[in-house]
Amino acid sequence: MIKLKGITKTYYRGKVETPVLLGIDLHVREGEFLAIMGPSGSGKSTLLHILGLLDRPTGGSYRLDGIEVSSLSDDELARLRNDKLGFVFQAFHLLPKSTALDNVLLPFTYAGHFPEDANARARRALGRVGLEHRLHHRPGEMSGGECQRVAIARALVNDPEVIFADEPTGNLDQRSSLEIISILQGLHAEGRTIVLVTHDTAVGCMCRRLLRVVYGKVVSDEPVAEPTVALQQLQTLKEAAK
Amino acid sequence: MSLAWRLLKTAVISLWAFRSYAALMMIGLIIGIASLTVIHQIGQGAQQVVSSRMASMGFGADAFYISSGGGRLGVRRGMKRAITLTPQDAASISQVDGVAHVVPHKNVARTQVTAGGNNTNTRVRGATPGWAAARNWPLLQGRFVSLTDIRQSARVAVLGTTVVRELFGDVDPVGRRLRIGRTPFIVVGVLKSKGSSGWRDRDDIILVPLSTATKRLSRDDKLSGMRVTMTDASRVEEVKTEVTNVLRENHSLLPGVPDDFLIITPDELMKLITRQSRSLVAMLTFVSAVSLFVSGVVIMNIMLVAVSERAYEIGVRRAVGARRRDILYQILMESLIVAAAGGVCGLLVGLLLSYLATWLLAIPTAFSPTGFLWALGFSAGVGLLFGVAPAKKAAGLHPVEALR
Ligand SMILES: Nc1ncnc2c1ncn2[C@@H]1O[C@H](COP(=O)(O)OP(=O)(O)O)[C@@H](O)[C@H]1O
Ligand SMILES: [Mg+2]
């Protein structure tokens, strides 16, 4: 589904060149749950932005569903983002003035045509992340964990092929983090493809495959032997709190 | 439908979030559009006054007026004029194809008029039976000059209300005697009051039969002017040309010699009157154009600031699939809505101001729906034009940079 070959990215600021990705090869198959780990500044976000068609690589080849992405126009990339990809960011990136429901409806606004059942689908997505009781709350009226669940619902609503998450638990406490990961694990169990960036080893161990990136290079790529089940951790945490 | 609705809702929500900016953007437009509206309303009011006055002077769209003496409309007033038109001219003109009626009249020099012990100085005019009807000037009592009066050069007089007040006070004047100069007359009717037309009291007049005026009150049978009615309003220009030829021939004017008469069409009179207010309106229009331009620049700059403050929101939209042009349209839509809202507010303020102008300063104003459309169109145009730069800036943002 995703095939990267020798992907490089260099930032140019004036005459200063910052090489960030130094040739990444990666193959992600349908239904995988991949974690990209690495120290801060190693280029994880840059890689995820390229994977998510938010940015273009400086060199190399990226095939998404067999299509060479570099041959596509900006508009076509936008259409693909809308159609096939979902995003979850560390800072949630919700529209602060819009309700949870309106935030989740946002992708439909740019879907070319607004589906008849948009509202029902948005409610279903919010139900999927356990927020059916927060439809008309604005981000300011919700906790960080709830905001991130709205963001997941937004990523989910268009039924994407891949969900990308950049440090989705980075701004959350342990319990909210576990809730988020358990939702992602549930989505994976349903057969969705998920690519997640984290620098938290505990989170990395909850995925199925672990890719380590250091200074723009892949240093290891192996399956996770026994992924931790977030739901169990959550239960343990709740019991400990009692 | 649902999508358009959502886009509109999006724009309104964003604008509401940035309402203090939106208010700032609208102020300039409100001032500009309000002043444009006032100008327009005053212009409309003046036109209405002009056309109602012209109607009362007997100027319909299907008539024109021929005045003795040459010169140009608008610069003749107060000039001593040669009296050049003759009854023969009136007869020739009534033969011209397309002419329905010719209503001539003759002004006699201002004359001393006496009745009982009272006297006054007033305009005396010789007229034909068609005169009052041509000017929509109804009688208050008695009757107007009749054909029999004309035939007999009867010494009968129809008075304006000012003359009645001066000579008879509250007494019913019909049937009473008066003297115009030395000639005795009998009052047969009184004209309804027309009020003053700005520079003269139109009720300060005495009408006598045209033949009486030429034979008994003056030494010649020349005419001061005549009103010509067309069978068809669309033929005014054509008839005017033909009448000019007829009159030049009657007066034996060689080519190159200027006309010794003046034909005044309603069109020309309207133009003359609007020309007088044109420089004022032009100045006000310039002022409001400048204020509209300034408000456009203000809109542009505030939108530019707002766009950089909203980079994050734009990044979010791009991330979920908005194309550059979706962002472009969104920002344009917002500036359009702000501008149109400013235009509507300006229009309301302008309507209020012109109402106040009428109420407090007695300046005539009139509402016109085309003015309403103009105001909306103008402000929407300003919004679109000056929204382009901010919209392009917003659309040009890189999604990742915007989200940072
Ligand atoms: N727009 C940019 N211009 C210049 N350097 C950048 C830009 N974006 C990121 N970088 C640099 O690229 C490197 C990798 O950034 P990033 O991908 O965000 O790392 P990570 O997500 O792994 O912490 C960092 O050193 C960062 O400073
Ligand atoms: Mg990062």
Side-chain angles (χ1 to χ4, degrees), chain B residues 68-398:
Chain B
S68 269
R72 226 157 32 82
L73 186 60
V75 295
R76 274 193 353 163
R77 186 188 293 169
M79 262 171 59
K80 196 168 161 78
R81 288 187 268 163
I83 306 301
T84 51
L85 297 170
T86 63
Q88 178 54 43
D89 290 336
S92 319
I93 290 169
S94 62
Q95 298 303 308
V96 170
D97 185 33
V99 170
H101 302 289
V102 178
V103 184
H105 68 84
K106 179 182 185 65
N107 294 333
V108 178
R110 283 189 84 89
T111 318
Q112 196 69 16
V113 184
T114 52
N118 301 325
N119 68 82
T120 183
N121 195 284
T122 187
R123 284 186 297 140
V124 178
R125 172 173 280 193
T128 55
W131 190 89
R135 281 165 177 72
N136 300 315
W137 203 339
L139 283 168
L140 187 64
Q141 55 186 125
R143 64 175 180 84
F144 197 68
V145 171
S146 70
L147 274 176
T148 321
D149 294 335
I150 300 274
R151 223 174 295 124
Q152 300 173 344
S153 304
R155 288 177 310 221
V156 295
V158 178
L159 312 188
T161 48
T162 301
V163 180
V164 172
R165 198 171 55 243
E166 296 289 331
L167 294 183
F168 299 101
D170 292 333
V171 183
D172 179 1
V174 175
R176 295 190 169 263
R177 296 167 170 281
L178 59 75
R179 279 176 189 275
I180 299 175
R182 294 220 177 92
T183 322
F185 280 79
I186 288 180
V187 179
V188 293
V190 177
L191 290 166
K192 229 180 185 146
S193 173
K194 277 238 160 176
S196 92
S197 72
W199 47 283
R200 75 174 173 202
D201 176 4
R202 297 197 296 161
D203 297 322
D204 184 15
I205 192 169
I206 294 180
L207 292 162
V208 300
L210 181 61
S211 53
T212 314
T214 52
K215 288 186 187 142
R216 300 187 193 271
L217 296 178
S218 62
R219 265 165 249 127
D220 64 67
D221 66 349
K222 294 263 170 66
L223 301 171
S224 309
M226 53 187 99
R227 212 186 74 103
V228 180
T229 319
M230 257 58 62
T231 50
D232 177 355
S234 67
R235 300 184 66 178
V236 169
E237 283 307 313
E238 174 198 339
V239 172
K240 182 185 167 188
T241 312
E242 184 53 29
V243 165
T244 304
N245 293 340
V246 166
L247 286 179
R248 287 186 68 89
E249 193 171 318
N250 280 2
H251 297 184
S252 314
L253 297 178
L254 296 170
V257 177
D259 293 345
D260 60 355
F261 54 90
L262 182 67
I263 300 183
I264 306 168
T265 60
D267 242 22
E268 286 163 351
L269 192 61
M270 178 70 95
K271 274 191 201 130
L272 173 73
I273 294 169
T274 43
R275 201 181 309 143
Q276 287 164 350
S277 59
R278 196 178 295 162
S279 56
L280 178 72
V281 167
M283 196 192 75
L284 288 174
T285 309
F286 177 72
V287 167
S288 57
V290 167
S291 81
L292 282 178
F293 178 77
V294 168
S295 67
V297 173
V298 168
I299 285 181
M300 183 172 74
N301 283 293
I302 293 181
M303 292 282 285
L304 283 172
V305 171
V307 161
S308 23
E309 285 191 13
R310 292 167 63 185
Y312 164 83
E313 172 202 333
I314 291 158
V316 172
R317 293 179 184 279
R318 296 276 275 132
V320 301
R323 295 164 300 173
R324 285 184 194 282
R325 80 180 78 137
D326 292 321
I327 302 298
L328 187 87
Y329 295 156
Q330 182 193 336
I331 303 296
L332 274 183
M333 170 89 105
E334 288 176 16
S335 73
L336 190 72
I337 290 176
V338 168
V344 170
C345 289
L347 192 78
L348 294 179
V349 171
L351 290 180
L352 185 74
L353 287 180
S354 28
Y355 174 75
L356 287 178
T358 307
W359 191 49
L360 297 175
L361 307 173
I363 296 173
T365 58
F367 177 76
S368 90
T370 54
F372 183 83
L373 292 177
W374 265 100
L376 258 185
F378 232 100
S379 43
V382 167
L384 266 187
L385 192 68
F386 290 93
V388 167
K392 280 197 159 163
K393 181 184 171 189
L397 285 175
H398 190 285

Side-chain angles (χ1 to χ4, degrees), chain A residues 11 13 18 20 39-46, chain B residues 401 404:
Chain A
Y11 288 109
R13 191 149 288 173
T18 319
V20 176
S40 177
S42 55
K44 305 182 298 292
S45 295
T46 305
Chain B
E401 309 269 317
R404 211 187 300 276

Side-chain angles (χ1 to χ4, degrees), chain A residues 35-78:
Chain A
I36 301 173
M37 286 195 62
S40 177
S42 55
K44 305 182 298 292
S45 295
T46 305
L47 178 58
L48 200 75
H49 291 150
I50 289 172
L51 285 171
L53 306 181
L54 284 170
D55 207 351
R56 290 175 186 272
T58 312
S61 148
Y62 173 11
R63 286 179 169 273
L64 177 66
D65 284 340
I67 304 164
E68 179 56 52
V69 162
S70 62
S71 68
L72 299 177
S73 70
D74 278 4
D75 281 2
E76 286 167 322
L77 293 186

Side-chain angles (χ1 to χ4, degrees), chain A residues 44-46 90 166-167 197:
Chain A
K44 305 182 298 292
S45 295
T46 305
Q90 177 172 1
D166 190 355
E167 312 255 14
V197 160

